[in-house]
Amino acid sequence: DQQVKQNSPSLSVQEGRISILNCDYTNSMFDYFLWYKKYPAEGPTFLISISSIKDKNEDGRFTVFLNKSAKHLSLHIVPSQPGDSAVYFCAATSNNAGNMLTFGGGTRLMVKP
Amino acid sequence: DSGVTQTPKHLITATGQRVTLRCSPRSGDLSVYWYQQSLDQGLQFLIQYYNGEERAKGNILERFSAQQFPDLHSELNLSSLELGDSALYFCASSAGLTGELFFGEGSRLTVL
């Protein structure tokens, strides 16, 4: 049973436009959500996170939105740049999980110049 | 560079064999995590150690074992290898039991 799902395996957008990556979760105990970015031949790197007490967190071009009632979060990248092309993983954890992250399957973002 | 070092980067072996993957966490980090990524899938949590003690266990097979040594480096031992064990194995570390995880570049295991 996948507790964190990213239903779009890939996404292609034009440079300068908005990229929206989606993530759904089923475990209502999750209270902290993260996005990781992964380039080929590298490990995932932390991008942005959000606590369940918030519905939005912004960091530069990256914004994460959380809809707890729908158990859905999304990552918005505006404007998208070719260097953003990577695989993006959504992850979730709970307060008592000891920092154990449950990851989604990833979405490959391609930003075309 | 995340500061987490994993060796070897690539490993090819045969079914039935045993391998050891090594991880050196970031300087000062007490927590080490092991994740498995198979065939463009998400990362599956295997096991977590904190300051030498096992802290949490995920979907880790009985053929797999891990430990964290007094110098805080960790090893993941995979035995009686099967074709399906071919995957990327990531190690991550964090300062404590909360906070950002820093991932190594992974060890790619191919079982033939």
Side-chain angles (χ1 to χ4, degrees), chain B:
Chain B
D1 182 8
S2 67
V4 177
T5 304
Q6 289 187 247
T7 57
K9 286 190 169 27
H10 301 277
L11 189 55
I12 301 174
T13 189
T15 54
Q17 295 298 304
R18 172 191 168 95
V19 298
T20 297
L21 309 180
R22 182 188 167 100
C23 170
S24 294
R26 288 190 325 153
S27 177
D29 282 0
L30 298 178
S31 278
V32 170
Y33 312 76
W34 286 97
Y35 282 83
Q36 179 193 53
Q37 185 187 18
S38 304
L39 286 174
D40 291 330
Q41 295 182 13
L43 284 75
Q44 300 293 319
F45 172 71
L46 294 178
I47 199 164
Q48 176 197 6
Y49 281 84
Y50 176 77
N51 204 20
E53 300 288 329
E54 182 183 304
R55 184 74 185 179
K57 221 167 184 176
N59 296 323
I60 187 166
L61 299 171
E62 286 191 11
R63 300 184 286 107
F64 296 1
S65 64
Q67 53 184 328
Q68 186 180 27
F69 294 87
D71 67 353
L72 300 178
H73 92 271
S74 178
E75 291 181 357
L76 179 66
N77 299 298
L78 316 174
S79 61
S80 302
L81 286 168
E82 302 176 358
L83 296 177
D85 297 328
S86 296
L88 258 176
Y89 291 85
F90 286 103
C91 170
S93 71
S94 65
L97 293 173
T98 60
E100 182 181 343
L101 266 64
F102 294 86
F103 283 83
E105 294 182 351
S107 292
R108 182 173 293 280
L109 172 66
T110 302
V111 182
L112 300 176

